[in-house]
Amino acid sequence: MEKHDGRDAGQARTGDPRDPWYDALASGWGELDGTGAPAPVAPPRAAPERSATAADIYLEVQRSAAFQEVRSRYRRFVVPGVAVFFTWYVAYVVTATTAPGLMARPVAGAVNVAMLAGLGQFLSTFLLTWAYARHARLRRDRAALDLRWAVFEQKREQDQKRILDQREHDQRSEQEPARGSER
């Protein structure tokens, strides 16, 4: 058997609030009180006050006007770009399967319409990639970087506050035993 904290893995850690299942059985569903009768349902504990978490910071940023503007700029480029490229690709495939005579028509020597259209697929892929990178660099990257820095700053401030709170808590807990021995 595995051992954790000096106990068997199968042994319950009763009363340990760090245990993720600490409150799991507090609902009273199906538990017995030791006499064989169902245990009474425990009332839910009041939620402790909590400071902003990383998730709260990210949700706040996601709801911000700056983030919505970055997403809007992204969509205004990507949606039409995908539509045009997909239409061009489907047109190429449909034409190749439904009009083989057209695709076989020679253009210059051994080069025919199908070869030019196939090379056009590669060319349009590279052009779309270049246009996307240019659009991102000119229209979105600066705003996204500003948002990223704002999140990092909020997270850093949150971490510093948590460290200070922990230090204060540790100092208080160190002083409490000393006060108890004075009494």
Side-chain angles (χ1 to χ4, degrees), residues 2 6 31 33 40 56 98 155 160:
E2 283 183 41
E31 294 122 21
D33 66 358
D56 295 333
T98 60
K155 183 73 171 106
Q160 286 177 344

Side-chain angles (χ1 to χ4, degrees), residues 60-73:
E60 178 184 333
V61 169
Q62 185 179 11
R63 293 180 187 120
S64 72
F67 181 83
Q68 296 303 322
E69 179 61 27
V70 170
R71 294 297 296 170
S72 174
R73 289 177 185 175

Side-chain angles (χ1 to χ4, degrees), residues 35-65:
T35 65
V41 176
R45 293 188 307 176
E49 286 189 34
R50 63 179 183 93
S51 61
T53 63
D56 295 333
I57 293 171
Y58 286 112
L59 286 173
E60 178 184 333
V61 169
Q62 185 179 11
R63 293 180 187 120
S64 72

Side-chain angles (χ1 to χ4, degrees), residues 123-134:
L123 179 63
S124 64
T125 300
F126 290 122
L127 285 174
L128 184 62
T129 303
W130 171 81
Y132 177 83
R134 182 176 187 276

Side-chain angles (χ1 to χ4, degrees), residues 6-141:
R7 291 186 291 264
D8 287 343
Q11 184 179 3
R13 295 190 307 173
T14 57
D16 186 358
R18 293 173 300 175
D19 184 358
W21 296 101
Y22 178 69
D23 283 338
L25 298 177
S27 64
W29 292 354
E31 294 122 21
L32 303 177
D33 66 358
T35 65
V41 176
R45 293 188 307 176
E49 286 189 34
R50 63 179 183 93
S51 61
T53 63
D56 295 333
I57 293 171
Y58 286 112
L59 286 173
E60 178 184 333
V61 169
Q62 185 179 11
R63 293 180 187 120
S64 72
F67 181 83
Q68 296 303 322
E69 179 61 27
V70 170
R71 294 297 296 170
S72 174
R73 289 177 185 175
Y74 170 78
R75 285 187 205 105
R76 282 195 305 256
F77 180 86
V78 169
V79 170
V82 167
V84 167
F85 186 79
F86 186 72
T87 302
W88 159 232
Y89 175 73
V90 169
Y92 170 70
V93 171
V94 168
T95 305
T97 57
T98 60
L102 172 68
M103 297 301 265
R105 185 172 295 158
V107 176
V111 178
N112 60 19
V113 173
M115 291 175 80
L116 289 179
L119 291 173
Q121 288 290 314
F122 284 104
L123 179 63
S124 64
T125 300
F126 290 122
L127 285 174
L128 184 62
T129 303
W130 171 81
Y132 177 83
R134 182 176 187 276
H135 181 269
R137 186 182 71 245
L138 296 176
R139 305 265 192 265
R140 293 191 324 266
D141 286 352

Side-chain angles (χ1 to χ4, degrees), residues 111-179:
V111 178
N112 60 19
V113 173
M115 291 175 80
L116 289 179
L119 291 173
Q121 288 290 314
F122 284 104
L123 179 63
S124 64
T125 300
F126 290 122
L127 285 174
L128 184 62
T129 303
W130 171 81
Y132 177 83
R134 182 176 187 276
H135 181 269
R137 186 182 71 245
L138 296 176
R139 305 265 192 265
R140 293 191 324 266
D141 286 352
R142 175 57 54 195
L145 185 63
D146 291 344
L147 281 170
R148 188 174 302 130
W149 277 113
V151 169
F152 286 153
E153 285 298 314
Q154 287 179 356
K155 183 73 171 106
R156 187 180 61 81
E157 290 170 5
Q158 178 189 41
D159 290 344
Q160 286 177 344
K161 183 179 183 301
R162 187 175 38 240
I163 289 169
L164 288 175
D165 290 346
Q166 184 63 38
R167 284 182 186 160
E168 289 174 6
H169 179 268
D170 291 346
Q171 287 174 352
R172 275 186 258 128
S173 61
E174 286 175 3
Q175 291 172 357
E176 285 178 8
R179 288 182 190 155

